[in-house]
Amino acid sequence: MMRAPPTLLVLVVLAGALAGGGVIVQAALLKAHFYRHSCPAAEAVVRDIVQARVAEDPAALPARLLRLFFHDCFVRGCDASLLIDSTSTAGGGTAEKDAAPNRSLGGFDVVDTAKAVLEAVCPGVVSCADIVALAARDAVSVQFGRELWDVQLGRRDGVVSRASEALSDIPSPSDNFTTLEANFGSKGLDVKDLVILSGAHTIGIGHCNLFSSRLFISTTTGAVAPATDPTLNAAYAAQLRTACGSPSNNATVVPMDPSSPARFDSHYYVNLKLGRGLFRSDAALLTDRRAVGMIHALTKEGHFLKEFKNAVRKMGRVGVLTGDQGEIRRNCRVVNS
């Protein structure tokens, strides 16, 4: 039987991987050191700005910039559409950043600073989408003193940003495993990616109202009583109940990893095995045998960091715009006129 040429095989495999809504379309056109000739200082500029800002806020900023990257990639792909202001989005209307899942995001100012410097040095060359990808990597890497993963570059910026798409596409902290798997699958990400990328919850915070249904129930008289969630460690639940106070509390935050909240490590999986996953979506990983089969190995930090490197690079290729698609925004908050 005649064998298909290698190039054809690659195309067939890629086509299979691209089935679904949020596809990895132009990923093959991304490459390391994309700006080597057009803007040689690009990666160093982002790194220096991010490292300086993380030094001022080491506990919170890495999580903010990593979450910014995740939320951007899950809506229209990694195209910096999340950065567009509502008054500037093409076609008008409310933009992604003003959708409910994104209102608690931070780190926009860091991206703005990097973009301003790069526009002064290399106007119209470096995309906001690439800055977001680099900033996430550089922020998380600070604690290690080395780059945790390499970032392939060459993304271009989208010109459409819709709050409605953020509401439908960003995973919810209350999602069950079936919903999570379908959501990730629509982006070309599989169950392994889902389990590993969930490990990013080893840093950052959660607002009480996002998990209060695991802590409180309303009685027939309208009073609030403690809930019993069998998937949540009882001592941990009591601790959270004390911290949050009431089911409607949307001001108080708690660390997603109670054992090492500011360190990017494998404790997320240790916590999961102890029933200390903060969100229902965290506990949902324990309801799938494929996920459970991965969790024990991921408690080893070296293994987790290696696997996370591969998964986050794969996520960074979701739905990217390259070549002459999209644009290179001059201001990350505003579509070029």
Side-chain angles (χ1 to χ4, degrees):
M1 181 175 65
M2 182 177 295
R3 298 180 64 184
T7 302
L8 177 58
L9 285 175
V10 170
L11 291 174
V12 170
V13 171
L14 183 60
L18 299 187
V23 295
I24 305 174
V25 182
Q26 299 291 323
L29 299 181
L30 299 181
K31 61 183 180 180
H33 310 298
F34 179 84
Y35 300 106
R36 186 194 307 269
H37 302 296
S38 59
C39 189
E43 294 182 50
V45 166
V46 176
R47 182 185 63 244
D48 290 350
I49 289 171
V50 169
Q51 288 181 346
R53 293 295 298 275
V54 169
E56 298 171 0
D57 190 6
L61 191 56
R64 287 174 183 160
L65 289 171
L66 185 57
R67 188 175 176 224
L68 199 69
F69 186 34
F70 275 45
H71 281 223
D72 182 46
C73 290
F74 267 77
V75 184
R76 291 188 164 265
C78 311
D79 68 345
S81 54
L82 175 56
L83 307 182
I84 298 173
D85 288 342
S86 289
T87 54
S88 306
T89 184
T94 304
E96 290 172 36
K97 66 165 52 171
D98 291 322
N102 292 332
R103 288 176 194 154
S104 60
L105 290 177
F108 294 100
D109 57 324
V110 179
V111 177
D112 288 339
T113 299
K115 179 61 173 176
V117 172
L118 288 170
E119 282 299 299
V121 176
C122 311
V125 173
V126 182
S127 70
C128 301
D130 277 344
I131 294 172
V132 171
L134 287 168
R137 187 273 311 276
D138 293 340
V140 174
S141 297
V142 167
Q143 74 174 63
F144 298 94
R146 61 181 174 85
E147 294 179 352
L148 276 190
W149 66 89
D150 61 289
V151 178
Q152 293 184 314
L153 302 168
R155 299 167 188 79
R156 288 171 65 86
D157 300 323
V159 297
V160 175
S161 184
R162 298 189 180 108
S164 59
E165 294 178 343
L167 288 170
S168 63
D169 289 5
I170 294 173
S172 165
S174 61
D175 281 345
N176 61 29
F177 192 87
T178 301
T179 301
L180 290 170
E181 182 179 6
N183 191 318
F184 275 66
S186 73
K187 317 301 178 193
L189 303 171
D190 58 24
V191 168
K192 183 178 181 181
D193 301 316
L194 162 59
V195 174
I196 294 165
L197 292 172
S198 294
H201 283 182
T202 189
I203 53 175
I205 55 175
H207 287 76
C208 286
N209 61 306
L210 297 179
F211 54 87
S212 62
S213 63
R214 307 185 75 194
L215 307 176
F216 305 99
I217 57 172
S218 296
T219 67
T220 54
T221 63
V224 173
T228 302
D229 185 334
T231 66
L232 189 61
N233 177 283
Y236 184 45
Q239 177 186 335
L240 293 172
R241 216 174 277 118
T242 298
C244 294
S246 76
S248 60
N249 183 351
N250 63 0
T252 301
V253 296
V254 300
M256 289 192 284
D257 178 352
S259 54
S260 55
R263 183 166 181 80
F264 194 82
D265 56 27
S266 60
H267 286 179
Y268 170 79
Y269 301 101
V270 176
N271 290 330
L272 272 188
K273 294 178 69 175
L274 296 173
R276 290 160 64 93
L278 185 62
F279 300 125
R280 287 193 188 278
S281 59
D282 295 320
L285 300 187
L286 297 174
T287 65
D288 182 85
R289 61 177 179 78
R290 295 164 297 172
V292 171
M294 302 174 200
I295 287 171
H296 179 70
L298 289 166
T299 62
K300 310 289 193 301
E301 184 163 319
H303 180 64
F304 165 61
L305 294 178
K306 177 184 175 182
E307 294 292 352
F308 188 83
K309 171 180 68 175
N310 296 328
V312 76
R313 286 189 304 193
K314 183 176 176 182
M315 186 194 74
R317 298 194 292 268
V318 169
V320 294
L321 304 175
T322 60
D324 59 359
Q325 297 176 318
E327 64 182 18
I328 304 296
R329 259 178 254 146
R330 292 184 292 271
N331 177 338
C332 292
R333 295 173 179 266
V334 182
V335 173
N336 295 342
S337 57

